[in-house]
């Protein structure tokens, strides 16, 4: 467990930490409200607030709170000026980065092409440069960065912040991302997590999953993965491998997946499979629209182009989109029986190909899950869309500003 | 949230509760060990211990603890004589019941035939009689029963202790089990949970799942269900329906299940399916052993008899057992990809039909799960066997002796 040089001084007692988390979640609160919510005595609240005020982590707000009978009470909120945090979403071909204040408000945001197949030093070098540029615009200093949250497209050993056997980015295996970043940002806690977990955190803190304790976030793009929110916290599994739903088998006679198995959901329903089926339909004259798009796009198609044709009413494209939704929904039906979540959030770049995808997913889940487990289940699109990763990374960093052991 | 009449006086502060849980889990501990384990100050430990000692919930042990440099410290353990708790495991055709001391040691245990299709008043009336008889043998009084844990074969709304849409026992839906029992046992908290969850609690506290935070307990009997231990606690899902893995589809062209869907795991791999396939083999002259057993057993077979033939080396019976294991393992492979547990425990009456079942389950999981998610995975038989339910119910009750809101 590595810690940033300053993190020891910043360590919070459990009561302080829980008070901070409550204020972060619910906004500014009075002493009485904090005591009530957390079951703390007045003395515990008082001494924890004193320390948080002394460290300038929270501040007394100018406004007063709601009266509960007597005079209106003082309320305490996050001190947004304590310092900066950074959220980084590293994708296969790009990176998104945002600088935020201590309240999570985004101050600067930037997108940059990046190739995750390259050495981590190179990609992270770009990240460092982009953070420095954003900081300069805000007239900030390097040591004002309190935490950096980083989402990466691979399995992460969360407590150490390293990637384990990442298929997309083999050069990153065991690379000490945290220590590398802390050479420049000496005051920052650096937290690394799987990209889908980070998106789920984003939806949980600021999107479709707000105030929902148990949900599954499904990312549909080049691959398919899930982030699991369980009892209000991200569940990562025993080896950090939880949520790897793209390799659940949906057809024992299906095509071979890059993982070596056959019939994986990812190989049959993710972006490349949708594109391949679109190309097949274009070449077999099953769809004029797809054939036209195929020609216009230099003899190839993407899942997005198949989606465009579906939105324009093309029957073959629609069937491709629905078939993908049915397979994803069939897999999710099993997970609904097992996990009985309150919500499933559908996100990732390929989720944008249309509401027919969502509709097919919903139908398949309802058909194949038990009645009791779907009684209160909602299945919705992501609210944060393309920003889920970067917003989630900011919230991940905010959660760990004062953490010694991740 | 109903509470027993005395439970208010018995409510523990969070620090007291956590200290008690630690002592329960790890055995008698010293003040220093408690402070270390829980991150509490000396003052917090001291005041919590004082109250727990005053309430006679814990006691100072005669032995001293390990020296950590200075003199050997006093250690504090559970006061087993505080009162009694009861564990009840209600099955479709029988009920198992045990009276235990406050440390969880079983003092009296009894099994009784019961028909869960009958009115809850009748079945619970039998439970009350059996508790009274056990109590009498121990010279105990009704008001010395501090908590009663009850496992039932159906979906439970845990916070209210009622069954929701239970297919096996429709007459029990919404029946106020807790209030009914508390009319007799006025000092008892009564906690009702799904039978498979209760078995998982048993394995977690006293069986194969000890000290393991994330595991799946699979019960294979007339049906198939799972109990989920997640971050050290039973996970029940949003509607109390989590773990209903028997109705996960394993064959879209499979037979119709009693739930109305086709190809449910339960319809294809549980006890009745194994028996039916055994009967088919007996009648089609595929196996002399099965034909003989079929005749000896008055023209029918059970899963256990098919298991006996398999153990005696019958090829057809073996293939039936292995086929069931393959289907269960195929379903579990999906859950391993999703949940990445450290352990899967195989229990329930039909799990006894042999190690070929376990071997087939293991093979199927290894074949179809990702390499990372099986890196540390163990798949084992239940350690508690037929007692998992009743032992789990005791531990469930012990966890909730001092709970106001379940």
């Amino acid at each position: 467990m590595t810690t940033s040089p300053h993190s020891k001084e910043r360590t919070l007692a459990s009561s302080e930490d829980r008070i901070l988390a409550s204020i972060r979640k619910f906004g500014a609160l009075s002493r009485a409200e904090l005591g009530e919510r957390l079951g703390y005595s007045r003395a515990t609240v008082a001494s924890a607030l004193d320390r948080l005020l002394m460290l300038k982590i929270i501040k007394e707000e100018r406004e007063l709170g709601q009266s509960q009978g007597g005079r209106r009470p003082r309320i305490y909120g996050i001190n947004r000026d304590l310092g900066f945090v950074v959220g980084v979403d590293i994708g296969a071909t790009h990176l998104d980065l945002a600088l935020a204040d201590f309240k999570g408000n985004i101050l600067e945001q930037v997108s940059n092409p990046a190739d995750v197949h390259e050495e981590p030093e190179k990609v992270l070098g770009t990240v460092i440069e982009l953070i420095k540029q954003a900081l300069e615009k805000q007239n900030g200093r390097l040591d004002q960065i309190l935490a950096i949250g980083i989402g990466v497209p691979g399995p992460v050993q969360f407590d150490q912040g390293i990637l384990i056997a990442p298929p997309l980015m083999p050069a990153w295996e065991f690379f000490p991302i945290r220590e590398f970043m802390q050479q420049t940002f000496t005051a920052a806690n650096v937290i690394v997590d799987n990209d889908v977990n980070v998106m789920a955190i984003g939806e949980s803190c600021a999107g479709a999953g707000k105030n929902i304790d148990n949900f599954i976030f499904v990312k549909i793009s080049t691959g398919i993965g899930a982030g699991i929110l369980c009892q209000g916290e991200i569940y990562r599994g025993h080896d950090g491998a939880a949520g790897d739903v793209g390799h659940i088998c949906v057809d024992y006679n299906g095509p071979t997946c890059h993982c070596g198995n056959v019939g994986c959901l990812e190989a049959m329903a993710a972006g490349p499979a949708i594109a391949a089926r679109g190309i097949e339909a274009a070449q077999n004259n099953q769809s004029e629209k797809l054939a036209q798009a195929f020609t216009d796009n230099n003899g190839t198609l993407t899942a997005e182009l198949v989606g465009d044709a579906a939105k324009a009413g093309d029957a073959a494209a629609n069937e491709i989109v629905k078939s993908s939704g049915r397979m994803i929904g069939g897999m999710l039906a099993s997970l609904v029986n097992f996990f009985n979540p309150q919500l499933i959030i559908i996100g990732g770049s390929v989720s944008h190909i249309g509401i027919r995808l969502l509709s097919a997913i919903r139908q398949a889940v309802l058909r194949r899950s038990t009645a009791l487990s779907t009684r209160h289940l909602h299945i919705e699109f992501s609210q944060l869309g393309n920003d889920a990763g970067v917003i989630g990374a900011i919230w991940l960093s905010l959660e760990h500003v004062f953490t010694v052991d991740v």
Side-chain angles (χ1 to χ4, degrees), chain A:
Chain A
M1 319 281 140
T2 313
T3 62
S4 88
H6 300 299
S7 62
K8 184 119 195 177
E9 300 155 30
R10 294 204 311 244
T11 305
L12 298 184
S14 139
S15 55
E16 294 156 5
D17 203 41
R18 289 186 61 203
I19 282 179
L20 176 61
S22 282
I23 294 175
R24 213 177 261 304
K25 186 164 181 186
F26 301 107
L29 294 171
S30 69
R31 284 163 193 259
E33 288 166 332
L34 283 165
E36 231 166 76
R37 276 186 193 279
L38 296 167
Y40 286 155
S41 68
R42 294 174 67 154
T44 304
V45 172
S47 87
L49 277 185
D50 279 352
R51 179 139 191 269
L52 291 171
L53 285 166
M54 189 262 291
L55 293 170
K56 297 195 169 56
I57 291 169
I58 61 169
K59 64 182 178 63
E60 197 182 311
E61 299 287 353
R62 287 199 201 149
E63 315 84 69
L64 294 174
Q66 296 294 321
S67 162
Q68 296 185 323
R71 75 171 74 161
R72 294 177 64 192
R74 291 179 194 168
I75 54 173
Y76 300 88
I78 301 288
N79 172 21
R80 71 177 67 197
D81 300 322
L82 183 69
F84 300 102
V85 299
V86 178
V88 187
D89 178 23
I90 300 182
T93 58
H94 69 282
L95 59 87
D96 290 324
L97 186 148
L99 183 75
D101 66 23
F102 187 60
K103 217 168 168 177
N105 300 308
I106 293 180
L107 306 169
E108 304 286 341
Q109 185 164 0
V110 58
S111 265
N112 213 67
D115 183 355
V116 86
H117 298 96
E118 289 183 320
E119 300 296 305
E121 289 90 342
K122 181 146 184 229
V123 177
L124 293 175
T126 306
V127 169
I128 290 171
E129 269 319 301
L130 292 172
I131 298 176
K132 283 182 178 170
Q133 287 167 19
L135 206 52
E136 206 166 306
K137 286 189 194 163
Q138 293 288 325
N139 297 314
R141 298 187 319 270
L142 292 183
D143 66 356
Q144 287 179 309
I145 305 265
L146 302 177
I148 303 173
I150 304 178
V152 291
V156 171
Q157 176 116 25
F158 183 69
D159 57 355
Q160 294 178 30
I162 53 173
L163 282 117
I164 305 290
L168 276 183
M169 42 206 297
W172 291 62
E173 183 161 24
F174 304 129
F175 183 81
I177 299 174
R178 188 181 288 177
E179 288 73 10
F180 184 85
M181 297 297 291
Q182 284 176 335
Q183 285 170 15
T184 304
F185 304 103
T186 52
N189 270 342
V190 179
I191 321 296
V192 184
D193 203 348
N194 172 267
D195 59 346
V196 192
N197 287 345
V198 169
M199 294 168 90
I201 291 170
E203 295 290 341
S204 170
C205 294
K210 260 191 121 163
N211 301 320
I212 293 184
D213 278 346
N214 302 302
F215 70 76
I216 302 174
F217 176 90
V218 184
K219 177 190 179 188
I220 312 169
S221 59
T222 311
I224 295 179
I228 305 165
L229 207 89
C230 182
Q231 311 291 48
E233 305 210 341
I234 285 287
Y235 174 78
R236 297 180 174 87
H238 184 63
D239 304 279
D244 203 351
V245 300
H247 299 286
I248 289 179
C249 181
V250 292
D251 184 353
Y252 285 102
N253 303 311
T256 301
C257 179
H258 63 84
C259 76
N261 267 322
V262 297
C264 293
L265 177 68
E266 184 165 307
M268 299 191 65
I274 293 171
R277 247 178 255 138
I279 292 170
E280 209 182 296
Q283 291 179 325
N284 294 347
N285 298 318
Q286 287 162 357
S287 154
E288 272 180 43
K289 280 213 176 62
L290 287 174
Q292 187 62 50
F294 182 73
T295 310
D296 294 350
N297 197 47
N298 302 317
T300 188
L301 281 175
T302 62
E304 287 73 13
L305 288 170
V306 176
D308 290 345
K311 285 175 197 165
D314 183 75
N318 259 322
E319 181 46 38
I320 293 169
V321 169
K322 286 200 289 192
S323 147
S324 180
R326 276 194 297 269
M327 285 186 272
I328 295 166
M331 178 281 292
L332 285 172
S334 303
L335 300 188
V336 166
N337 283 350
F338 174 72
F339 190 65
N340 184 205
Q342 187 179 355
L343 174 69
I344 294 173
I345 305 172
I346 307 292
S349 59
V350 172
S351 66
H352 303 169
I353 65 173
I355 56 159
R356 280 183 183 80
L357 181 77
L358 183 64
S359 164
I361 291 173
R362 284 178 172 161
Q363 283 178 45
V365 169
L366 285 175
R367 199 175 62 241
R368 280 300 333 182
S369 297
T370 63
L372 186 60
S373 64
T374 54
R375 202 164 51 142
H376 300 113
L377 177 67
H378 292 262
I379 304 180
E380 309 286 352
F381 277 132
S382 156
Q383 271 182 16
L384 303 180
N386 288 333
D387 287 339
V390 76
I391 292 174
I394 288 171
W395 284 90
L396 176 69
S397 75
L398 286 171
E399 270 173 34
H400 293 280
V401 168
F402 302 103
T403 312
V404 176
D405 293 345
V406 170

